[in-house]
Amino acid sequence: MKNDNIYFRLALVSLIMLGACNDEFLERYPLDEVSNETYWNTENDLATYNNTFYHMSQNDVNIPIMLGHHNGFDSQLATYLNVDGFADNLAPNHERHRPFQQVRAGRQIVPTTSSGIGNQWYGYRGWDFVRAINIGLENYPKAAISEEARNKYVGEARLFRGWFYHHIVKMFGDAPWVDRELNIDSEELFAERMPREQVMDNVLEDLNFATTHIPDDWGDGNEPGRLNRWAALLVKSRVCLFEGTWRKYHGGSNPEMWLREAADAAQELIENGPYMLYNTGDPEHDYNAYHRILDVSGNPEVMVWRRYQLGILTNHVQNYYSYSGGATRNFVEDYLCEDGLPITLSPLYQGDDTIEDVFVNRDPRLRQTILHPDDSEYYMYHNADGREYPRIQGMQGGRTSSTGYHVIKHYNALDMIGKAYNTAETPAIILRFAEALLNFAEAKAELGEITQSDLDMSINLLRDRVAMPPLDINPPMDPRYADDGISSLLVEIRRERRIELFGEGFRYDDLRRWKQGKKLENPDMGIQWNAAAEARYENAIIHTSVDPENGKTYIDVYKNTDWADPVFDESKDYLWPIPLNDLAQNPNLGQNPGWEQ
């Protein structure tokens, strides 16, 4: 009985104590770990969370919007240095560049999965990035900070989201727009894709918010630092230029609005931003000088860049540089002569009987992009091995080229000498001021509103850096482009873009938005192959073809290979296919036209 009383009293005390507990006590969160319920308090919490986006975007395979140089083995593909291999600027012939060769030749297949660089780099993935952004956007309001402070980080997140969705839309068209955190049973996971124009309306809302609320300067030194408002304006001008020209040439509503947004964003950056072209008054070197160094901090042209540092993040791009094969004859012939005229019109053009002739009287950017035989020592090409360049595939020793046009724009021998695998530190210039000048001029020209003053504040600044004559509002038509259906001025603005941004990942997207995919049906050729070349480049293993227009023989890079006779199917090749596994998980996504199996 005594024991029963004791048990009863203990039970009563326990009941009373439990009754005294309130919900707040029972719902206390662990003090030794971070939880979503307790995290979102201060401005620093929001800044720290947004650092996640910068970290995730370093995965250049999954989230290539800030494409730099992926590390390790993937440095060969996921780098802006090699993206021109999709188009007509480069002619990669290494087996490890098969993804570029497939697309370039029009022989891309529908991938089974979007995972794995060999299956579909630049592909239909990165959705965890959107999820991370949406989680942040749903939780930022919890922080007890001012609206102005909060909106800086909202704007930063929305910049990343808009930028990412632009990437998906430009490659795949319609896209599944998601603006909230999803669970495994969320209906959005099984929904149809949203029409591209509706997605892009959402993208523009994101970018407008970003360019309104991100600060001009975060006060972090920006070496490199967070994306500031000026960077957001450049991203906006890029996105809007793509969308405006896509709608103009492919068909779509209100392309003029998008082109005007592109021009206005670029103009605000040009006129009010703190950036300018890098120009020391040395036209023979200024164009490529800062692309070949390890530290670009303090450079007035570089707006956003990624630092690589041993023990933190490294790459192997310099050692993989030769995998790009070489620049194409088509690209090299686009350089103007020093009188400002194309080679088809200029009396200064010396022809291409020898590679030395190609460089005579040409835009100085050519010699800062393609290796001149006399410059191999200056660039310490292949560790200054004493061999004569160019060297063609099949020749023994040194670095060889598929075309004879070795690319040296980004070449930095000092980032290779004595360095082991994946320990290189070549930086990635992600956004530079020159693009704003090009975006502005093109958007104004597409609108039909460009003036000589507009050219002088944009294209002609780029030409002045390399001591080239200024572009006039009424340039002569280059016969090579007379059938493109555009004005001679647009021809020259597009040429300027191709030359200035070579090797920075723009050419393939530019051809697609201009609806100029048929240009990819031209075979990739190299240097002229005459008796002198055959003797000079002994033991070279190449195939050749005769140019029917001039009767001369040139290296034909892909002749007698799987990539010969390239095709471009206008009905499907402007968009990429949705991977089969994604369609199996959600058949409502639907396959892009022409890719159905």
Side-chain angles (χ1 to χ4, degrees):
M1 183 67 177
K2 183 177 181 180
N3 288 339
D4 289 342
N5 286 335
I6 293 175
Y7 294 146
F8 176 79
R9 290 171 182 172
L10 289 174
L12 182 61
V13 170
S14 299
L15 181 62
I16 294 172
M17 291 181 65
L18 287 172
C21 293
N22 57 33
D23 291 342
E24 182 179 352
F25 179 84
L26 290 174
E27 294 178 2
R28 288 191 303 175
Y29 301 106
L31 300 178
D32 59 347
E33 62 184 53
V34 176
S35 68
N36 191 62
E37 290 76 11
T38 61
Y39 177 76
W40 310 93
N41 297 300
T42 67
E43 181 174 347
N44 186 64
D45 293 338
L46 273 57
T48 301
Y49 184 80
N50 280 15
N51 290 344
T52 303
F53 310 145
Y54 293 92
H55 177 74
M56 294 181 74
S57 63
Q58 288 180 356
N59 186 330
D60 296 303
V61 175
N62 288 335
I63 308 163
I65 58 172
M66 297 179 68
L67 184 62
H69 317 304
H70 208 55
N71 64 352
F73 183 83
D74 291 341
S75 288
Q76 58 173 314
L77 291 175
T79 166
Y80 61 72
L81 301 184
N82 292 333
V83 176
D84 278 359
F86 284 133
D88 54 357
N89 280 355
L90 293 174
N93 65 338
H94 196 285
E95 175 61 25
R96 286 165 68 176
H97 274 203
R98 186 180 183 89
F100 295 119
Q101 295 163 337
Q102 282 183 312
V103 173
R104 173 68 181 86
R107 292 174 175 82
Q108 184 183 13
I109 61 175
V110 180
T112 300
T113 175
S114 60
S115 63
I117 193 166
N119 294 312
Q120 197 182 44
W121 171 70
Y122 223 49
Y124 192 77
R125 54 175 174 245
W127 301 107
D128 55 334
F129 189 58
V130 176
R131 176 178 171 80
I133 292 169
N134 288 338
I135 288 174
L137 291 172
E138 289 188 4
N139 285 281
Y140 297 148
K142 297 178 181 178
I145 58 177
S146 69
E147 196 71 12
E148 180 182 2
R150 183 186 349 273
N151 281 340
K152 292 189 298 183
Y153 303 98
V154 173
E156 190 176 32
R158 294 185 69 172
L159 171 60
F160 277 113
R161 186 173 65 184
W163 199 352
F164 176 81
Y165 264 103
H166 160 68
H167 161 69
I168 293 296
V169 167
K170 77 177 182 179
M171 302 308 298
F172 301 97
D174 300 346
W177 176 263
V178 178
D179 58 6
R180 68 184 185 93
E181 181 183 355
L182 302 185
N183 298 312
I184 59 174
D185 58 350
S186 296
E187 61 182 13
E188 289 93 334
L189 295 175
F190 311 99
E192 296 179 353
R193 289 187 283 166
M194 181 181 288
R196 69 169 291 142
E197 292 202 0
Q198 189 175 347
V199 175
M200 290 309 298
D201 287 343
N202 292 335
V203 167
L204 185 57
E205 288 183 8
D206 275 351
L207 297 181
N208 283 339
F209 190 95
T211 56
T212 303
H213 293 93
I214 294 177
D216 293 352
D217 187 340
W218 288 90
D220 57 2
N222 196 32
E223 295 294 355
R226 310 185 85 89
L227 295 171
N228 58 28
R229 189 173 74 90
W230 309 111
L233 285 167
L234 181 51
V235 172
K236 179 182 175 181
S237 76
R238 178 192 296 183
V239 169
C240 292
L241 180 63
F242 186 100
E243 189 64 14
T245 48
W246 182 281
R247 296 190 189 198
K248 179 174 180 177
Y249 294 106
H250 291 263
S253 66
N254 205 4
E256 295 81 9
M257 181 274 289
W258 288 90
L259 291 169
R260 198 168 306 284
E261 290 280 358
D264 290 347
Q267 185 170 3
E268 182 175 356
L269 167 58
I270 294 167
E271 293 182 343
N272 300 317
Y275 302 97
M276 64 186 69
L277 291 181
Y278 174 80
N279 191 346
T280 70
D282 182 359
E284 305 300 324
H285 299 98
D286 279 347
Y287 168 67
N288 79 356
Y290 64 95
H291 289 283
R292 302 186 302 101
I293 59 178
L294 298 185
D295 188 350
V296 293
S297 57
N299 187 302
E301 184 171 348
V302 178
M303 297 176 60
V304 177
W305 65 289
R306 183 184 301 163
R307 187 192 302 274
Y308 291 82
Q309 186 173 338
L310 189 64
I312 300 175
L313 180 66
T314 52
N315 59 61
H316 203 60
V317 292
Q318 291 293 339
N319 285 80
Y320 285 143
Y321 210 32
S322 61
Y323 286 11
S324 64
T328 64
R329 174 192 171 204
N330 177 281
F331 167 69
V332 170
E333 289 186 342
D334 239 4
Y335 282 85
L336 299 173
C337 291
E338 60 186 20
D339 58 4
L341 294 174
I343 63 172
T344 51
L345 299 176
S346 175
L348 300 180
Y349 181 55
Q350 299 298 302
D352 59 6
D353 288 348
T354 70
I355 191 169
E356 287 84 359
D357 290 342
V358 171
F359 292 90
V360 177
N361 301 329
R362 302 291 289 280
D363 182 332
R365 285 173 291 189
L366 175 58
R367 193 161 175 168
Q368 296 176 67
T369 302
I370 307 300
L371 181 66
H372 187 288
D374 293 343
D375 293 343
S376 57
E377 183 176 350
Y378 173 80
Y379 287 107
M380 299 176 62
Y381 200 73
H382 200 252
N383 303 337
D385 59 10
R387 296 182 174 89
E388 291 187 3
Y389 285 89
R391 302 185 70 77
I392 314 300
Q393 59 188 27
M395 298 177 69
Q396 298 300 307
R399 286 196 171 204
T400 61
S401 168
S402 64
T403 65
Y405 294 121
H406 295 262
V407 178
I408 47 86
K409 176 178 174 178
H410 302 91
Y411 188 80
N412 185 349
L414 297 179
D415 202 30
M416 290 184 286
I417 298 174
K419 291 192 174 183
Y421 170 75
N422 199 37
T423 60
E425 300 169 302
T426 293
I429 298 175
I430 295 167
L431 295 175
R432 67 182 180 105
F433 181 70
E435 185 192 346
L437 304 179
L438 293 161
N439 293 352
F440 172 73
E442 184 181 344
K444 294 286 281 188
E446 290 286 5
L447 286 165
E449 300 174 353
I450 195 166
T451 65
Q452 186 62 50
S453 177
D454 292 332
L455 289 174
D456 292 341
M457 64 179 280
S458 57
I459 298 296
N460 289 334
L461 293 180
L462 296 169
R463 291 195 174 189
D464 182 67
R465 168 161 60 181
V466 291
M468 283 290 289
L471 176 61
D472 185 81
I473 199 75
N474 292 305
M477 174 61 78
D478 184 344
R480 297 199 308 165
Y481 296 102
D483 295 331
D484 281 6
I486 58 175
S487 69
S488 61
L489 180 58
L490 262 177
V491 167
E492 295 308 318
I493 289 173
R494 290 182 180 184
R495 184 201 308 272
E496 196 73 24
R497 184 177 183 89
R498 185 183 193 186
I499 298 306
E500 180 69 27
L501 298 179
F502 170 81
E504 297 180 47
F506 289 89
R507 179 64 174 173
Y508 180 62
D509 286 346
D510 287 344
L511 289 176
R512 291 191 308 115
R513 66 186 175 87
W514 296 331
K515 205 177 182 183
Q516 292 288 324
K518 282 298 182 180
K519 291 187 182 298
L520 298 180
E521 293 190 335
N522 299 319
D524 286 332
M525 313 296 277
I527 61 173
Q528 187 187 148
W529 200 256
N530 49 30
E534 192 168 348
R536 179 176 182 177
Y537 308 117
E538 188 177 2
N539 298 320
I541 302 174
I542 49 98
H543 296 286
T544 63
S545 291
V546 176
D547 183 342
E549 293 188 4
N550 65 13
K552 296 180 180 180
T553 301
Y554 295 85
I555 292 176
D556 189 337
V557 177
Y558 298 122
K559 186 176 182 178
N560 296 336
T561 73
D562 292 341
W563 320 120
D565 303 316
V567 296
F568 190 91
D569 187 339
E570 293 269 352
S571 68
K572 72 170 187 175
D573 286 338
Y574 285 110
L575 295 177
W576 281 21
I578 303 296
L580 296 178
N581 280 1
D582 291 271
L583 290 172
Q585 293 171 10
N586 178 16
N588 290 323
L589 289 173
Q591 185 56 277
N592 279 330
W595 293 103
E596 301 90 348
Q597 293 183 330

